[in-house]
Amino acid sequence: MTVTALHPAAHAAPADPMAAVFHAAETTYEPAPPGTPADAPRVFAAINGVMRDAMPVGKDQTNTHQNYKFRGIDDVMSAMAGPMRTHGVFILPSIAAQKQDRDGKITRTLIKMRYRIYGPAGDCLVAEIPGEAFDTADKSMNKAQAAALKYLLFTLFMLPVDGRSIDDGDRDHPQPTEQHRAERQQNRQGRQQRSQQRQQQSGQARRSDRAEPGPWEQQQPQQQAKRRDYLAEAQRADSPDQFAKIRAAAAENGAPTDYLARLDLVAAEKRQAAQPAKQPTGPADDNHRDAPNSDEQAAVEAEQRLRLAASRANLPTLDTDFQMVYGIPVEQATAAQLDMFRQRIEVVASGRDQ
């Protein structure tokens, strides 16, 4: 059953096709589908809950052309998104009528938006709101829709506003006093503090609230601030054994491969820094004193590339496997041996991906 409240003139066909945009708005209520539980909140109760939880929206945006303050649609939607999710209310928009006229460089768009406001039980209210906008490019339709939605939210949910804000006006409107500025700044700071408190209470959001958390997220759901900084610990490690324990702990706690690769780079850089610089023994060595350092530098860079490849291939037994093949530790191998072993790993990993 549908209950409809119409203006008496709504049944008369308007002479102008676009007169419907200015016509008295149609308001319709559609009950919940058959079989809906009786205790499911209806849309009227849900709207009332949203009204209780909605935060005030002050005139924090500035029109620099006409020099006046206004409430932006982004601020209004941000204030309504949380309460609407909490009470299970959502809005489905559609365009009931539209007209566009272009006068020189200016496009005027006139629309009538039809909004279906649904509650948790599946019943809905249907409301129609006009919107009008002008633009010199192709944004007049977007602006008209934004204006209609903004005033639907204000009028339907009686969205509270900053009572000290001055009304919408043009460039001739009197500017706010110093007292108004101070009070608006205090109100803005209060909203920011309340928003920060809500974020701290709810915790930092995961990548997607609709997706199952990954193993890296499951380790510390409410202790994000106390997560171990394995990179900092690796920088402070005094020995290879201590670094190995840090890396193993990161791997056990579900650190991704690119994070483990960064740990391996830290270890390689520490080993390079720990190598003593070789001093020339005489004039005869001047032509060759850079050769050993060049070989060592090449080996260090090759080791870094090898450990990156092993991390990407998820090969935690790199050091053991390398020593089994060549009979020496990774730290003592030449650049050629390290590059050859890296190429083997990359070939195996590419075959596995295919």
Side-chain angles (χ1 to χ4, degrees), residues 18-19 26 34 38 75 79 100 117 184 186 189 235 241 301:
M18 279 308 296
E26 177 182 351
D75 296 336
Q100 282 189 322
I117 303 97
R184 290 167 58 187
Q186 183 178 2
Q189 293 176 352
Q235 292 284 0
D241 292 339
E301 294 175 356

Side-chain angles (χ1 to χ4, degrees), residues 9 44 60 76 92-93 137 166 221 250 277 294 315:
F44 303 104
D60 300 330
V76 177
L92 181 64
I166 60 176
S294 299
L315 181 63

Side-chain angles (χ1 to χ4, degrees), residues 204-218 224 256:
Q204 296 297 328
R206 297 192 301 269
R207 292 167 307 183
S208 172
D209 292 335
R210 298 179 298 274
E212 289 296 329
W216 184 245
E217 297 169 320
Q218 288 177 344
Q224 297 294 333

Side-chain angles (χ1 to χ4, degrees), residues 139-195:
K139 299 296 187 293
S140 61
M141 176 65 73
N142 297 347
K143 292 180 179 179
Q145 294 185 55
L149 177 60
K150 171 182 172 180
Y151 287 102
L152 169 79
L153 295 175
F154 268 117
T155 56
L156 175 64
F157 297 103
M158 295 301 294
L159 189 62
V161 299
D162 181 2
R164 294 289 185 174
S165 297
I166 60 176
D167 295 333
D168 288 334
D170 55 18
R171 70 183 66 188
D172 298 325
H173 199 286
Q175 295 297 316
T177 63
E178 291 296 331
Q179 179 182 0
H180 286 171
R181 292 193 183 96
E183 291 176 349
R184 290 167 58 187
Q185 179 66 20
Q186 183 178 2
N187 291 337
R188 187 181 301 112
Q189 293 176 352
R191 290 196 301 272
Q192 293 176 352
Q193 292 177 358
R194 289 191 293 270
S195 176

